[in-house]
Amino acid sequence: MRATVMYGVHDVRVENVPDAQLIKPGDALVSVTRACICGSDLWPYNSMKSSEVGNRMGHEFIGRVEAVGSEVRRVKKGDLVVAPFAWSDGTCEFCAQGLQTSCIHGGFWGGTKLDGGQGEAVRVPLADGTLVVLPVGEDHALMPSLLTLTDVMGTGHHAARAAKVGPGKIAAVVGDGAVGLCGVIAARRLGAEKIIILGRHPDRVALAREFGATEVVSERGEAAVERVRELTGGLGAHSVLECVGHGESMSTALGIARPGGAVGRVGVPQSNEMPEAKTTFYRNVTISGGPAPVRAYIEELMPDVLEGRIQPGKVFDSVTNLDGVPDGYRAMNDRKSIKVMIKF
Ligand SMILES: [Zn+2]
């Protein structure tokens, strides 16, 4: 079969790899129908140490179950399924709490040992815990929005939850990538009264407004902090969604949280340092977040997608096929595309 492999900085190739196949009795074999490129794929795209073997890529996919192992009960051949960006057993202590990204037996797609979503097929470990069956056909009009449940919509929702968004609150979203845009959807869905998007790309800001952002702050650094203070009566935001992961965006997020406020961080930190440790201490700011347990959120968010209340699929502004994946990485890296969908 063919799949996407990353060998180093700006070196993404689509090539022949061993066919995905069932190995363990809890596995499912899924042929991918839709996948996408993630903003987090751009971190290794710009920093990966050169590798002879390469890393299989992709952690967001929908597909058709082709076969299941002898222990699989919840999914069957022919089902159309959505996979979260982490696989999990669904039964351990952390899964029972709805924190499937910490599953004791789980893990993440791709790398050197597992198939990735940016390929023709995937061996899905722990299929009963991991996969969710979709109630629609593979070319349904809502497929783009359903595809966001694999990661970005669930991740934006996690940021909003960690930031304690609720009715009447002021939410601020740092980052205008696909996750930040989904964070706007999530903040509105959870009842935020005012939603400030911090971003500067005109097409992304326009989509943020469509999703429910009420104010736009295009300044950066100290100027952004000042501007958010002005927009919040000098107090800062109750709920801040950090959707980038750079030290600078984290500093901004922490700087705009009001005393007693909360910052939900879902951008993968690119440093071990936590900025603003002292200033946030004196303001009693809660700092929470991490890899979103999107498996828990698929079932929570799917009815809103199916009934048209949210349309996160609008973050896809480009569609390609498997051969177009290397160009898709380039387009997202050059900020020419917000998010690229791969149609098989
Ligand atoms: Zn588990």
Side-chain angles (χ1 to χ4, degrees), residues 170 194 196 225-240 253-262 283 285:
I170 301 173
K194 190 183 240 191
I196 304 166
V225 174
E226 281 306 309
R227 184 78 190 109
V228 172
R229 291 228 176 95
E230 280 168 29
L231 291 170
T232 55
L235 303 178
H238 299 94
S239 300
V240 183
L254 294 167
I256 61 179
R258 68 169 58 194
R283 301 205 312 283
V285 171

Side-chain angles (χ1 to χ4, degrees), residues 87-96 99-100 102-106 126:
W87 42 278
S88 56
D89 60 12
T91 54
C92 77
E93 181 158 349
F94 296 116
C95 285
L99 192 60
Q100 288 88 341
S102 291
C103 177
I104 291 167
H105 305 107
L126 304 175

Side-chain angles (χ1 to χ4, degrees), residues 178-246:
V179 172
L181 293 167
C182 289
V184 171
I185 295 175
R188 185 189 201 180
R189 183 177 171 276
L190 293 172
E193 185 178 290
K194 190 183 240 191
I195 302 172
I196 304 166
I197 177 91
L198 285 81
R200 48 177 45 206
H201 302 87
D203 53 334
R204 297 169 188 226
V205 162
L207 192 51
R209 283 197 184 277
E210 190 181 333
F211 284 160
T214 54
E215 330 273 342
V216 176
V217 169
S218 52
E219 290 88 346
R220 300 182 81 147
E222 260 313 301
V225 174
E226 281 306 309
R227 184 78 190 109
V228 172
R229 291 228 176 95
E230 280 168 29
L231 291 170
T232 55
L235 303 178
H238 299 94
S239 300
V240 183
L241 289 65
E242 199 288 319
C243 303
V244 183
H246 278 302

